Amino acid sequence: MEQSAKLSLFPVLHLKRSMLSLLFSLPTSFFAFFLLLLLSYNAFSVFYLHQSPPPVSAPKLLNLSSSANSPLFRNPHSPLLPNSTQSLSLSIQRAKRVKKHKRGLRSLRSEPRSPVSLFHSRLKAFFNTSSCQMRFFMTWISPLKSFGERELVSIESLFKSHPDACLVIVSKSLDSHAGTRILKPFVSNGFRVMAIAPDFGYIFKDTHAELWFNRLKEGNVNPGEVSLGQNLSNLLRLVLLYKFGGTYIDLDIIVLKSFSKLRNTIGAQNFDVRTGRWSRLNNAVLIFDKKHPLLFKFIEEFALTFDGNKWGHNGPYLISRVVSRVNGRPGFNFTVLPPSAFYPVDWRGIRGLFRDEIPSKWLVNKMKQIRKESFAVHLWNKHSRELKVVKGSIVDRIISSCCIFCST
């Protein structure tokens, strides 16, 4: 039995010895080549395992129906697949704007609810206790730290030409202890001015603005990329005049003459010399009776055609669109004054009024025109805020002629 097992293993042992003899008889270079192949294979395996890209999952398709229900993020002009640094930068900027709009919407939703609006009671008391010959409204949507000398000059100029007027500044930041200190010099000198935080629910009630505002709070209106505060200011001025009547002016308007003889008036910003007609109106100065039908149309247009992505669409361009449609129709009695009334210099030429240089023919003629024809001058703060008022410039002369606290 034992011997038979040894006999069965003999062929296997013989085969092994034969293979070893064959291998040892091969040249050394063959072993080196074989070893190199093994090392190469090993290195390739290691590299492939560590450097192979992870499996790519199928791209997720955008749910267009759900994005339509999320208006804060809806923008037909944004790329679906950003593939550049510029696109990434735009996406970051857009995210910041969306975050800012969300904060604004949260503050709107948190307005206190009460049976009697504090805004209504304060405004009523202010108008009833003040013998107002004229009512003026302003809005200030920026932080209090941005309220500076130029805005104070605007208020001074208003009271210089209208000492018996009442001024209401609708502003959350100015309706504060710090805001009261800023306006104290006017109140101490007998001028009737009040800052009051807006109650949008009360102000917009029973107008097309109410429907638009409710949709905004519910997230069914896309605020767009233009400042929501700016567009709220565009709407506020229209509804304030519609409900209370009076005059609205921006805080970068310098008043030169009394508005007492003006009624239901808008100013043209641009004038076409060839046709003799205005080409664009502006909403920085509006003078209207209470419940005027043109104001109703302005508010309706705002609610129906709101676009938060186009600068001016809900402001100057809105005024221009509506007036061009209703002009000449019965029941709409209003006046459009030429640019020299409120906008003697447009935003492209405003820098010239701040300079102190050898008077050019244009500057001399412009100063004569302003003194003769203008009720006010729009300083276009967006384009002139960083400009200094140089001594001797046209703006310097205008401010000197309409200031109240000149010596302080």
Side-chain angles (χ1 to χ4, degrees), residues 47 126 149 180 325 408:
F47 179 79
F126 178 70
E149 291 184 7
T180 301
R325 288 202 298 263
T408 59

Side-chain angles (χ1 to χ4, degrees), residues 114-122 199 202-203:
S114 59
V116 179
S117 168
L118 183 60
F119 180 93
H120 169 75
S121 57
R122 287 182 62 191
D199 179 347
Y202 167 75
I203 297 171

Side-chain angles (χ1 to χ4, degrees), residues 3 18 26 53 61 66 80 104 108 111 131 139 166 174 184 201 228 243 267 269-270 290 292 315 329 333 362 380 407:
Q3 186 171 0
S18 300
L26 291 173
L61 296 177
S66 74
L80 293 179
L108 297 182
E111 287 179 344
S131 56
T139 61
C166 290
L174 275 171
K184 187 177 180 180
L228 177 59
K243 287 201 166 184
Q269 177 182 327
N270 297 111
K290 180 179 178 180
H292 194 281
R329 288 170 53 181
N333 299 314
W362 180 84
W380 306 100
S407 59

Side-chain angles (χ1 to χ4, degrees), residues 38-98:
L38 289 176
L39 290 173
S40 300
Y41 174 79
N42 182 64
F44 176 79
S45 301
V46 172
F47 179 79
Y48 180 80
L49 289 173
H50 287 278
Q51 296 296 326
S52 59
V56 180
S57 59
K60 295 182 180 180
L61 296 177
L62 293 177
N63 188 336
L64 298 181
S65 61
S66 74
S67 64
N69 294 326
S70 183
L72 285 173
F73 297 94
R74 186 174 68 240
N75 185 351
H77 304 292
S78 61
L80 293 179
L81 296 174
N83 57 3
S84 66
T85 305
Q86 184 178 8
S87 298
L88 179 61
S89 176
L90 290 174
S91 299
I92 293 173
Q93 292 176 13
R94 189 174 296 111
K96 289 181 179 179
R97 283 192 291 267
V98 169

Side-chain angles (χ1 to χ4, degrees), residues 235-264:
L235 183 57
L236 262 177
R237 68 191 68 184
L238 301 176
V239 183
L240 287 170
L241 293 182
Y242 182 73
K243 287 201 166 184
F244 303 103
T247 300
Y248 171 85
I249 65 172
D250 275 351
L251 270 160
D252 58 351
I253 292 285
I254 305 296
V255 180
L256 304 178
K257 299 174 184 175
S258 173
F259 292 2
S260 59
K261 294 183 180 180
L262 302 179
R263 187 178 176 189
N264 301 322

Side-chain angles (χ1 to χ4, degrees), residues 22-244:
L22 179 64
L23 288 173
F24 285 120
S25 65
L26 291 173
T28 308
S29 59
F30 176 83
F31 287 103
F33 178 74
F34 183 75
L35 182 62
L36 182 63
L37 286 177
L38 289 176
L39 290 173
S40 300
Y41 174 79
N42 182 64
F44 176 79
S45 301
V46 172
F47 179 79
Y48 180 80
L49 289 173
H50 287 278
Q51 296 296 326
S52 59
V56 180
S57 59
K60 295 182 180 180
L61 296 177
L62 293 177
N63 188 336
L64 298 181
S65 61
S66 74
S67 64
N69 294 326
S70 183
L72 285 173
F73 297 94
R74 186 174 68 240
N75 185 351
H77 304 292
S78 61
L80 293 179
L81 296 174
N83 57 3
S84 66
T85 305
Q86 184 178 8
S87 298
L88 179 61
S89 176
L90 290 174
S91 299
I92 293 173
Q93 292 176 13
R94 189 174 296 111
K96 289 181 179 179
R97 283 192 291 267
V98 169
K99 188 176 180 180
K100 182 179 178 181
H101 289 323
K102 281 186 172 182
R103 286 199 302 268
L105 290 174
R106 281 198 297 269
S107 68
L108 297 182
R109 294 191 185 102
S110 63
E111 287 179 344
R113 298 280 183 176
S114 59
V116 179
S117 168
L118 183 60
F119 180 93
H120 169 75
S121 57
R122 287 182 62 191
L123 198 64
K124 183 178 179 181
F126 178 70
F127 285 145
N128 287 346
T129 57
S130 304
S131 56
C132 306
Q133 289 190 2
M134 294 184 68
R135 290 180 179 177
F136 282 85
F137 292 94
M138 293 176 167
T139 61
W140 181 254
I141 58 176
S142 303
L144 197 59
K145 63 181 180 181
S146 302
F147 196 90
E149 291 184 7
R150 189 172 294 187
E151 288 72 30
L152 290 172
V153 168
S154 178
I155 299 174
E156 283 189 57
S157 70
L158 187 156
F159 284 122
K160 183 69 177 279
S161 298
H162 309 85
D164 297 321
C166 290
L167 170 61
V168 175
I169 307 175
V170 181
S171 169
K172 184 177 181 179
S173 59
L174 275 171
D175 188 7
S176 61
H177 292 298
T180 301
R181 288 195 299 271
I182 291 175
L183 299 177
K184 187 177 180 180
F186 295 97
V187 177
S188 299
N189 282 273
F191 297 109
R192 303 168 184 85
V193 57
M194 176 183 70
I196 182 171
D199 179 347
F200 295 107
Y202 167 75
I203 297 171
F204 295 157
K205 187 173 177 60
D206 299 327
T207 68
H208 283 89
E210 180 182 22
L211 301 175
W212 174 86
F213 186 67
N214 288 338
R215 292 179 60 235
L216 176 72
K217 291 193 295 182
E218 293 164 359
N220 295 321
V221 171
N222 180 3
E225 300 189 2
V226 178
S227 164
L228 177 59
Q230 180 180 325
N231 280 320
L232 283 172
S233 174
N234 286 328
L235 183 57
L236 262 177
R237 68 191 68 184
L238 301 176
V239 183
L240 287 170
L241 293 182
Y242 182 73
K243 287 201 166 184
F244 303 103

